[in-house]
Amino acid sequence: MLTPPQRSQLPRILDPRRLANQGVILAGQVALAHCERLQEAVLEVSEPIDVSLTFEIAEQGRKVVRGQASTTVMMACQRCLEPIASPVKASIQLGIVWSEDEAKALSKDLDPWIVDGEEADISVMVEDELLLALPFVTYHPEGQCHVVIPSAMGEETSDGGKENPFSILEQLKNSGSDN
Ligand SMILES: [Zn+2]
């Protein structure tokens, strides 16, 4: 069997502002041992966490990091409770800020990465992004589940199309006045 090429482990503690000034591109893996919250949220993290990040200076001198993190986790099927493998992919678009106050000034396409000193733990940031990207519920595909679904019921729920998209829009509008 061929072994896939080994990707290097990313350094855990970095100075993200300096990397942005230098326009650094990082690709590698984040150690699972540093991601206990993710491990607790799922049955098992079954693949290494691959990360690629571009640190750069964006509009108005804003220091940003963009890229992605991906792995595969085992989660319990919500029908039969047996494990199911779910790929997880987080798209990362972060503005590096000193404080919550500064975070409010970020443009809409950026989420804040609050780094209040010179150094930051990159595994915490990657773990946060992956936790946000976890599916809320997972089901085996029809025919592979350990619970047999009566066919009439299976058809109704197969594409999840029961929710009226306009009612979701309505909810978004009504809850949009928070900040
Ligand atoms: Zn199942």
Side-chain angles (χ1 to χ4, degrees):
M1 235 175 83
L2 287 171
T3 39
Q6 290 286 314
R7 299 194 71 188
S8 60
Q9 197 103 296
L10 290 180
R12 186 180 181 185
I13 305 295
L14 296 168
D15 177 346
R17 291 184 179 84
R18 191 166 58 87
L19 297 181
N21 282 329
Q22 295 170 345
V24 168
I25 297 173
L26 290 179
Q29 292 180 343
V30 167
L32 270 184
H34 300 153
C35 297
E36 283 174 17
R37 286 174 300 148
L38 181 64
Q39 289 185 307
E40 280 169 17
V42 299
L43 297 177
E44 185 192 355
V45 182
S46 50
E47 298 278 339
I49 300 172
D50 281 323
V51 180
S52 61
L53 297 172
T54 302
F55 293 80
E56 60 189 353
I57 308 285
E59 308 81 56
Q60 298 164 338
R62 168 71 62 204
K63 294 176 176 67
V64 301
V65 54
R66 300 182 211 269
Q68 63 181 45
S70 61
T71 184
T72 300
V73 299
M74 302 300 285
M75 296 180 76
C77 168
Q78 294 304 295
R79 233 173 347 234
C80 69
L81 302 181
E82 293 291 324
I84 177 172
S86 303
V88 182
K89 190 169 181 179
S91 172
I92 295 172
Q93 310 262 358
L94 301 173
I96 302 164
V97 295
W98 293 99
S99 63
E100 298 272 3
D101 274 351
E102 197 188 346
K104 289 174 193 156
L106 283 178
S107 57
K108 290 239 186 307
D109 59 326
L110 292 172
D111 288 323
W113 183 14
I114 297 173
V115 181
D116 61 3
E118 276 194 0
E119 295 183 326
D121 186 332
I122 204 167
S123 58
V124 171
M125 179 274 277
V126 166
E127 189 178 26
D128 282 342
E129 297 293 318
L130 285 171
L131 283 167
L132 287 171
L134 284 181
F136 287 113
V137 290
T138 45
Y139 294 107
H140 287 110
E142 227 171 302
Q144 291 174 33
C145 195
H146 300 252
V147 172
V148 178
I149 316 145
S151 61
M153 205 176 111
E155 272 165 35
E156 264 232 13
T157 55
S158 62
D159 67 0
K162 280 173 83 177
E163 193 103 21
N164 178 345
F166 294 104
S167 72
I168 295 175
L169 276 179
E170 223 24 69
Q171 286 168 25
L172 285 176
K173 267 194 238 163
N174 293 336
S175 64
S177 54
D178 287 355
N179 294 315

